[in-house]
Structure formats: structure tokens, C-alpha cells
Amino acid sequence: MDSETREKIKKTVRELLEEADMNEMTEYKIRQLASKRLELDLSESKYKAYVRHVVNAFLEEQKAKEEEEEEAAGDDNNNNNNEFDDDGDLIICRLSDKRRVTLQDFRGKTLISIREYYKKDGKELPSSKGISLTEEQWSTLRKNIPNIEKAVRKMESHTM
């Protein structure tokens, strides 16, 4: 295939991909739409392979962009908003004046703690009221948040 045709296919396929709903679009649909725009049968094997290459390259670029954006957002959050308690544990959020979520290292294990704090001698100290979850337990809880929310909604609808 000549370089002019190659460039036209690449440009058209990329335009279609940028406009597309990536949850609905398939390589086959892209090939069909590009065939219509270019008035060229892209189902021929020499074109089909090139369209696949362009689609894959586009998807890899999009994934890399998303990862960079997530990393940049994470860096912004980490650099500008880090708050640590008196024990040096990272405060993720404050649920109230006395309750907070922290990330801590305890005996070499990372724990997510949701705990009440009290003041003593000008320091805020963790109380025994709360829970510390391992990464595995936190992951299980996170996966079940939709089920918990559903149960809460159901319970609330019964009380109204």
C-alpha cells in the first residue's frame, strides 16, 4: 500500500476513534465507517492489518495519557494536601472533629484506620474506638460498598 493511502487511513481511523464512544466501538465498526468515508474496502487483509495497528496504537496512547493524568492528579494531591498526625500517620480525611481515616505502617503492614481521637497534653491521640483494616480487608470492604449502599437505601426506605 502506498504511503498516501496509508496516511489517509491512519488519519480517518484516528478521527473516528477520537469521536467514538469507546464503550460501544469495535475495530470492525471503525473499519466499516472508515471504508465509507474513504470509499475504500478496508476488509481486505492488507488494509485490515493496518487498521488494527492504528487502532491498537491509538488505544495504547489513550491508556498512557490516562495513566499520566492519574499520576499527575495523584502527585498534586500528595504534594499539596498531605497532613500527618502526631504519630506521623497520613491523614486521608477527617470524618468529624474527633474521627479520621489514616494510613499507617504497623509492624511492616499497611493499615487503613478509621478511629476516634482524643486530646491529651496538647496532642491528638488515637483511642481504642475504631477499626484498623489490612490492605486485603480494605479491598474487600471497597468491593462491597455498592452492596452496603444498597442495603442502607433499602433500610432507609423501610423507615420512611
Side-chain angles (χ1 to χ4, degrees):
M1 140 179 34
D2 64 85
S3 62
E4 186 180 331
T5 303
R6 195 177 195 86
E7 202 52 42
K8 283 181 183 177
I9 293 171
K10 181 179 178 180
K11 183 179 182 230
T12 303
V13 167
R14 290 184 68 83
E15 285 173 359
L16 289 167
L17 287 166
E18 287 171 9
E19 298 165 2
D21 175 358
M22 297 310 285
N23 293 320
E24 300 294 322
M25 192 53 67
T26 64
E27 181 186 328
Y28 176 76
K29 288 179 185 176
I30 288 289
R31 205 170 47 249
Q32 282 185 317
L33 292 168
S35 289
K36 286 179 186 173
R37 276 196 192 177
L38 294 168
E39 297 177 354
L40 182 65
D41 183 9
L42 296 177
S43 64
E44 292 180 32
S45 61
K46 63 182 177 180
Y47 298 126
K48 199 174 189 179
Y50 184 64
V51 169
R52 178 171 291 132
H53 168 75
V54 173
V55 168
N56 287 337
F58 178 85
L59 293 173
E60 286 174 17
E61 289 171 20
Q62 293 303 310
K63 184 177 178 184
K65 280 182 191 175
E66 286 175 13
E67 288 171 356
E68 284 176 20
E69 288 170 4
E70 287 174 10
E71 196 173 292
D75 288 348
D76 289 347
N77 290 340
N78 290 339
N79 291 337
N80 299 331
N81 300 326
N82 281 355
E83 183 182 3
F84 296 90
D85 66 14
D86 292 330
D87 291 330
D89 298 330
L90 178 63
I91 299 171
I92 304 298
C93 69
R94 294 178 181 269
L95 301 174
S96 69
D97 287 341
K98 292 185 176 186
R99 290 188 182 138
R100 62 177 82 147
V101 179
T102 61
L103 188 67
Q104 65 184 119
D105 184 60
F106 182 73
R107 295 184 183 170
K109 289 192 176 197
T110 300
L111 298 176
I112 295 86
S113 292
I114 303 169
R115 190 159 301 284
E116 276 194 14
Y117 282 71
Y118 65 96
K119 287 188 179 182
K120 182 178 179 185
D121 301 327
K123 284 187 165 189
E124 288 186 315
L125 302 170
S127 73
S128 60
K129 294 180 182 177
I131 186 169
S132 294
L133 304 170
T134 64
E135 290 177 88
E136 183 180 330
Q137 292 166 332
W138 172 251
S139 179
T140 301
L141 177 65
R142 266 190 18 220
K143 288 176 188 169
N144 283 286
I145 291 294
N147 296 331
I148 295 167
E149 289 174 336
K150 185 178 175 182
V152 168
R153 282 192 303 274
K154 188 175 179 181
M155 188 184 306
E156 287 173 345
S157 70
H158 288 302
T159 60
M160 292 182 173

